[in-house]
Every structure is written in structure tokens, then in C-alpha cells.
Amino acid sequence: IGYESVSNLTFEFDTIAPAMLSMDVEQFDHRDVSPRTEFNFQIADRPVLPSHAKANLWRSWADDLDMDGVMDENEVFVKDLILPENLTHLQADYTLEMDTSLAPDGSFFSGWLEIADPAGNILANPGSYQEPLFNVQLRSDGAPSLGSSSNDWGLGDNVWIHPGESIIVEVSIWDSNGISDISEINLALSGNTIDRVEIIWSGTDQT
């Protein structure tokens, strides 16, 4: 029996670790209950993309073996990410698919990643058991509203505000599934005048 094999091989050094470019889930996020929930993580690396990609997950409705409501190390399970079709690209999406159809309203899950390229270089800041990369609550969406605490300037009955002083106004906001989906809060300070005086808070960059 004879075998024909390649007699010359070229080996390349790979000292570059995979990098996370973006992900479509926040550290504290929420989703609706669904039989198919997807999360995409855009990873960059060269000369090839990672082929080892897994997610460590803990689901409050399915993995809490001792029913204490707290994640324990022996309750975490590992799930493979869906790899991109072509690993020779400089960047691509890695997908995590989950079935949350059996989760009661208000359940949550936490997770972090385990991604490495063929040379053993590990993705930086993938999250950990102590600090998960994402914590997602499963709760039906609803419109935000003012919270239970009063909204005031903290000045009591004093209605005069000096422009040279630093003033703090506290506005309480409540949302049934968390404030992570609030894109903007607009506080109009000139409702009784023609001039527009507004404080706008952006949920995108938290400013």
C-alpha cells in the first residue's frame, strides 16, 4: 500500500490573540422569551480566525440545582458557538443560540466566552465566573415610567436657584424589564417659556 503525502509544509508564527470588535448584548441586558434567541459576537484575528469557541452559561430556570437562586461552578454548562463559514477572513460573527421558551417571566441567565485560535492565543476579556460577560433577564417588554421616589431638586421649598451653584436633580425612572433598552431621557426645564432648556441623557454612551 502506498500513500502520497506532501513533503514540504510551511509553518507561520501566530502571536496575535483574538479580539472582540463588538457584540449585540450588554453586560446587563434583557430579551423576550423565545424558542430561538441569538447573540452575535464579532471576532477579529489573523492569520486565521479561532476554531475553538464556546460559551459558559448558567440559566436560573434550568441549572439552579440547589434552588438557591445563585450560580455555582458545578451548575455551569458549556455550549458551542456557531462558527463562521470561512475562518480565513480577518473578522466574522460567532453566534450563540439559546432556547428560552420554557423560562418563566423574570428568569435570567449569565454567560462568558472561551475563545482561542489554533496557536492557543486566548480572547482578551471574555468574562469569567466571577464577572460574567453578559447577564440577560427574560421579561416581557413595557413602557418606562417615573419611579416611586419623588423627583425634585433636593432644595425643599426654595424655588430660587443661583446660576453659580452646583445643583443636582434626581429623576427616578422605572422599567419592567430594566433600563438597558432606554435610548434617551429628555428633561425639559423650560416648559413655561419659549426658550428650550433641556438635559438629554443618552443610553448609548451613558452621558
Side-chain angles (χ1 to χ4, degrees):
I1 300 175
Y3 294 96
E4 182 179 352
S5 60
V6 179
S7 59
N8 293 301
L9 296 174
T10 301
F11 294 90
E12 296 181 358
F13 287 103
D14 182 2
T15 59
I16 300 175
M20 177 91 72
L21 299 182
S22 65
M23 59 182 186
D24 59 3
V25 59
E26 302 293 334
Q27 183 181 8
F28 297 98
D29 212 331
H30 73 273
R31 292 290 191 279
D32 291 330
V33 174
S34 170
R36 183 178 179 182
T37 304
E38 284 190 358
F39 303 96
N40 293 303
F41 306 91
Q42 189 176 60
I43 305 296
D45 197 8
R46 58 180 183 177
V48 293
L49 290 169
S51 54
H52 177 92
K54 301 178 181 296
N56 295 272
L57 299 168
W58 181 83
R59 303 162 298 178
S60 65
W61 70 95
D63 304 318
D64 192 9
L65 300 178
D66 54 8
M67 304 295 290
D68 63 349
V70 179
M71 176 175 61
D72 298 317
E73 289 191 61
N74 64 322
E75 298 173 341
V76 175
F77 79 100
V78 179
K79 183 178 179 62
D80 290 331
L81 299 181
I82 300 175
L83 302 179
E85 294 183 0
N86 193 337
L87 297 179
T88 62
H89 292 167
L90 293 180
Q91 62 189 54
D93 285 341
Y94 289 70
T95 304
L96 169 64
E97 283 190 358
M98 293 189 63
D99 180 1
T100 60
S101 58
L102 299 179
D105 195 54
S107 302
F108 68 96
F109 62 90
S110 302
W112 60 96
L113 302 181
E114 180 184 304
I115 295 180
D117 62 21
N121 300 307
I122 300 174
L123 175 72
N125 303 317
S128 64
Y129 170 76
Q130 291 77 17
E131 294 185 17
L133 184 65
F134 51 87
N135 302 272
V136 180
Q137 187 179 49
L138 301 168
R139 177 166 289 179
S140 301
D141 204 353
S145 63
L146 293 176
S148 58
S149 60
S150 59
N151 305 298
D152 57 34
W153 299 92
L155 300 175
D157 295 331
N158 181 13
V159 297
W160 300 104
I161 299 176
H162 194 280
E165 298 177 349
S166 177
I167 305 296
I168 297 175
V169 57
E170 295 183 355
V171 180
S172 176
I173 302 295
W174 180 84
D175 195 341
S176 61
N177 59 353
I179 64 170
S180 62
D181 63 338
I182 297 180
S183 60
E184 183 179 287
I185 297 177
N186 189 309
L187 179 62
L189 304 176
S190 57
N192 59 345
T193 65
I194 299 177
D195 297 329
R196 293 171 61 89
V197 179
E198 298 174 320
I199 297 176
I200 301 175
W201 176 83
S202 171
T204 304
D205 53 12
Q206 307 290 302
T207 58

